[in-house]
């Protein structure tokens, strides 16, 4: 729907002991579009929240910031896979259609990361460390989407739902 963010998420518990349902609500910008944009938004939000919650100490070099971010990313893989597999199940996608969507996903996540880096920097005199880190991550993902799918998103070989 073009506007995925945590404030548009509703968790519904129908009955005690029943599994909760997660719903996206916000029809303000409802439109037809590439589902990779919305799935990418969900994965981007997971990365952005982790980066915002991570401490980048004063005086850290760009290389140290990159290494620090590199330590965060693998901890997000299980959550990325869960979002991906839940989407596949809900959309009833598999095979070639799921693979094609998975192929587009790194680019959509990367563009959203670059957009966030810009937004986080707008009112700043100098680019914040967090913004620089996700900007570089987004650029790297655009340059090497196959590696990004595996190393950043943890989705290599995940075009079908888990057994």
């Amino acid at each position: 729907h073009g506007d995925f963010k945590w404030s548009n998420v509703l968790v519904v518990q129908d009955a005690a002991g029943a599994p909760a349902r997660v719903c996206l609500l916000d029809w303000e910008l409802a439109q037809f579009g590439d589902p990779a944009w919305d799935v990418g938004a969900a994965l981007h939000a997971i990365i952005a929240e982790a980066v915002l919650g991570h401490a980048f100490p004063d005086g850290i070099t760009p290389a140290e910031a990159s290494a620090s971010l590199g330590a965060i990313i693998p901890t997000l893989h299980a959550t990325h896979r869960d979002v991906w597999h839940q989407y596949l199940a809900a959309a009833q996608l598999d095979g070639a259609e799921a693979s094609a969507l998975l192929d587009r996903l790194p680019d959509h996540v990367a563009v959203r990361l670059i957009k966030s880096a810009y937004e986080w920097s707008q009112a700043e005199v100098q680019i914040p460390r967090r913004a620089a880190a996700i900007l570089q991550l987004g650029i790297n993902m655009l340059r090497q989407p196959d590696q990004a799918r595996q190393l950043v998103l943890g989705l290599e070989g995940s075009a079908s739902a888990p057994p």
Side-chain angles (χ1 to χ4, degrees):
H1 66 39
D3 192 22
F4 180 92
K5 56 188 172 189
W6 294 123
S7 61
N8 290 344
V9 174
L10 176 67
V11 178
V12 179
Q13 184 74 45
D14 290 328
R21 290 180 299 133
V22 178
C23 305
L24 288 177
L25 302 173
D26 183 10
W27 296 99
E28 174 187 354
L29 298 174
Q31 59 192 351
F32 287 106
D34 188 344
W37 185 246
D38 287 328
V39 177
L43 301 181
H44 154 269
I46 294 164
I47 294 169
E49 290 292 324
V51 171
L52 286 171
H54 184 68
F56 289 91
D58 289 339
I60 193 171
T61 67
E64 291 167 335
S66 178
S68 182
L69 183 59
I72 297 170
I73 295 299
T75 68
L76 308 176
H77 287 176
T79 305
H80 288 164
R81 283 190 293 271
D82 187 46
V83 167
W84 173 244
H85 292 304
Q86 291 298 322
Y87 177 80
L88 290 179
Q92 300 179 344
L93 293 180
D94 61 12
E97 202 172 12
S99 291
L101 178 61
L102 183 60
D103 286 343
R104 294 190 310 276
L105 205 49
D107 288 343
H108 289 277
V109 175
V111 169
R112 284 199 177 257
L113 289 169
I114 292 167
K115 177 180 177 271
S116 289
Y118 172 75
E119 290 169 347
W120 296 354
S121 303
Q122 280 185 317
E124 303 294 331
V125 174
Q126 139 180 14
I127 188 169
R129 288 178 195 87
R130 287 174 177 81
I134 67 165
L135 175 62
Q136 189 61 61
L137 179 60
I139 291 168
N140 292 348
M141 289 179 72
L142 287 174
R143 286 183 175 162
Q144 299 179 319
D146 291 334
Q147 285 186 319
R149 187 173 35 261
Q150 179 183 9
L151 300 175
V152 177
L153 303 178
L155 295 177
E156 191 61 35
S158 297
S160 61

